[in-house]
Amino acid sequence: MNSYKDLDIYKISLNLFYEVHPATLLLPKYELYELGSQLRRSSDSVVSNIVEGYGRKRYKAEFIRFLVFSHSKLHGNKSTFRKD
């Protein structure tokens, strides 16, 4: 593995970002700036944490910690979409 771009989790999270971003632009005007912005930033954070964790991969615990951050952000995104 030569790059974070080789990680399946990176590819999946990047695809999620590319799906979420345009979808948030379709929200009603009253949700566009608050909820839409939150979802865009959160989905970007998932990708960013994976990349940052990969940069710290020589310290396994650090890499895992950033993967946990990404996982937590995914749960935050899911709860924003579904309130059940």
Side-chain angles (χ1 to χ4, degrees):
M1 182 174 352
N2 296 327
S3 170
Y4 61 86
K5 293 179 181 178
D6 297 330
L7 296 171
D8 289 338
I9 192 66
Y10 170 78
K11 295 173 189 173
I12 292 167
S13 64
L14 189 61
N15 284 336
L16 173 69
F17 172 76
Y18 287 141
E19 288 179 21
V20 167
H21 194 274
T24 61
L25 299 176
L26 301 174
L27 290 170
K29 199 132 188 118
Y30 64 91
E31 293 285 9
L32 185 61
Y33 300 107
E34 191 170 323
L35 181 62
S37 176
Q38 177 185 350
L39 287 168
R40 286 188 296 276
R41 286 182 284 114
S42 182
S43 61
D44 182 47
S45 179
V46 171
V47 178
S48 297
N49 279 320
I50 292 168
V51 173
E52 187 171 350
Y54 185 84
R56 299 169 187 236
K57 71 178 176 159
R58 78 187 270 196
Y59 307 105
K60 185 177 180 180
E62 282 289 294
F63 186 31
I64 292 170
R65 189 167 74 110
F66 278 86
L67 292 177
V68 169
F69 292 159
S70 289
H71 189 248
S72 299
K73 284 290 185 180
L74 282 174
H75 281 289
N77 277 352
K78 192 188 312 184
S79 74
T80 301
F81 280 115
R82 291 179 40 191
K83 300 286 185 195
D84 58 354

